[in-house]
Amino acid sequence: MDIIYLHQYFNTPSMQGSTRSYEMARRLVRRGHRVRMITSWREAGGKRDWSITHEDGIEVHWLPVPYDNSMGYRQRLQAFFRFAWHAGRRASRLPGDVLLATSTPLTIALPAVYASRSRDMPMVFEVRDLWPEMPIAIGALRHPLSIFLARRLERFAYYHAERVVALSPGMRDGVIETGYPPSQITVIPNSCDLELFAPDPSAGERFRALHPELGDDPFLLYAGTLGRVNGVEYLVHLAHALRKRRTRFKCVIIGAGSEARALHEIAMRLGVLDDNLFLYPPRTKQEIVDAFAAADMAASCFIDLPEMEKNSANKFFDALASGTPVAINYGGWQADLLNETGAGLVLSRDPVVAAGQLDDWFGDAEQHAGAGEAALTLARSRFSRDRLAEELEAVLQEAAHDSRVIA
């Protein structure tokens, strides 16, 4: 198949952020398909027009559209619509058998539908977040007209999709609530890159050698975005509670985002910065592998928002792939997985109570070792990226086939 793949925030392993689209696309190429990725180049300055590179067989079309997490809501919207306008024109000029568009942002539906109709090729829409449910829940969308238009855009995207891919059962249910046929929805969650996180005894040693301040103490790793919805302040208060308990356990936070400065200030005020809590700048995907190898537990956290329980957090699956036990502070399907398999721990939202949970948990060496094995077993049996890429390939082939039959 010739696949046109639209993802505004595509990353390669040498870049910061999620690499799901890259990993899926390169596996599709490996299975004999041609993939053209339409994406944005987010760095400010330099490039002014489209450029093309080839990344592991993927033909990547880059449009310069500066973007970072510190931007205000209006600036983000401008970036979304600028990309949508130019990406639609670009994609409509490329031949393809099927078009795959992945959110966020939901505005990706505009160029996807335009190109799909222009080229008379079916569209598969991948839902990474229930948008606009999330912006409404956190108050980013408040005006009734904005909410109305956002909901219309959501339904517009689903209405024109031959198939929908949802990243979690909760997201699937949200799509069904809009009236979309359940039989045309496939759940393909974020996945575990067992190749990238293959066991390497020297990986953890490399990370600790770079950070002698950690010593040989056990630590909890958070590697991801430091945005408002992520609620990483929780980990700063957790470090404070652990310090009061005089435990050797440390917290390591790697990332960047709008809350980075606030986290630094809170950590300084509580006296935990560079004591039992360490803040490091973002690392590439390759470098993050070493951090997971060194960590004794990996954390995924969010603010207390029921809508976030439908999320499919990349860091959760990276932890499983590395055989690292996972700690989360929210409920939902990921909490159910941990409770069912013993691959980690569901923490209380009260950092003081959570500190006690961690103390008790790490006091049981057998439980800790078993959790690491359970995490890796879960990664291999249910979330292997190779297997999930095959499922995505099947969805794309069904969409392309059904479209030809109807035509």
Side-chain angles (χ1 to χ4, degrees), residues 125-315:
F125 195 77
E126 182 178 74
V127 182
R128 294 194 180 207
D129 287 307
L130 280 179
W131 208 99
E133 183 176 315
M134 279 305 308
I136 293 171
I138 64 174
L141 278 180
R142 298 179 183 176
H143 194 281
L145 179 59
S146 298
I147 293 173
F148 171 78
L149 292 174
R151 291 203 184 281
R152 288 296 298 269
L153 181 56
E154 178 191 31
R155 283 159 176 75
F156 173 80
Y158 302 152
Y159 177 80
H160 287 91
E162 188 76 27
R163 293 286 191 283
V164 167
V165 171
L167 264 64
S168 76
M171 293 183 197
R172 175 198 59 204
D173 295 343
V175 176
I176 291 172
E177 288 175 7
T178 69
Y180 193 83
S183 61
Q184 293 174 225
I185 306 172
T186 303
V187 176
I188 304 179
N190 273 325
S191 51
C192 296
D193 194 329
L194 295 165
E195 179 184 335
L196 179 64
F197 286 92
D200 177 0
S202 63
E205 295 172 5
R206 283 196 299 268
F207 185 80
R208 286 189 181 270
L210 284 173
H211 300 286
E213 64 275 13
L214 297 176
D216 60 357
D217 292 337
F219 71 86
L220 175 72
L221 170 70
Y222 175 89
T225 304
L226 309 181
R228 178 189 163 199
V229 74
N230 303 101
V232 186
E233 182 182 334
Y234 168 87
L235 297 178
V236 181
H237 290 286
L238 176 61
H240 185 240
L242 288 166
R243 187 166 177 259
K244 283 188 172 183
R245 297 178 69 92
R246 301 183 183 279
T247 177
R248 293 173 55 229
F249 202 74
K250 290 179 167 62
C251 294
V252 171
I253 298 172
I254 300 176
S258 58
E259 299 298 303
R261 180 176 294 182
L263 291 173
H264 189 275
E265 292 172 354
I266 295 167
M268 285 188 63
R269 188 176 74 245
L270 294 177
V272 297
L273 186 65
D274 298 331
D275 178 39
N276 72 328
L277 180 131
F278 298 89
L279 294 169
Y280 300 135
R283 300 287 195 270
T284 65
K285 196 73 172 181
Q286 301 277 11
E287 294 168 322
I288 286 295
V289 170
D290 291 355
F292 275 100
D296 297 86
M297 181 169 258
S300 179
C301 56
F302 292 110
I303 58 175
D304 191 2
L305 201 65
E307 288 80 2
M308 289 308 303
E309 295 183 356
K310 301 171 183 176
N311 193 268
S312 187
N314 280 295
K315 59 187 76 66

Side-chain angles (χ1 to χ4, degrees), residues 6 84 88 99 101-116 123 125 152-158 160:
L6 271 70
L99 186 147
T102 184
S103 67
T104 56
L106 187 59
T107 46
I108 199 73
L110 297 173
V113 172
Y114 175 76
S116 171
M123 179 185 77
F125 195 77
R152 288 296 298 269
L153 181 56
E154 178 191 31
R155 283 159 176 75
F156 173 80
Y158 302 152
H160 287 91

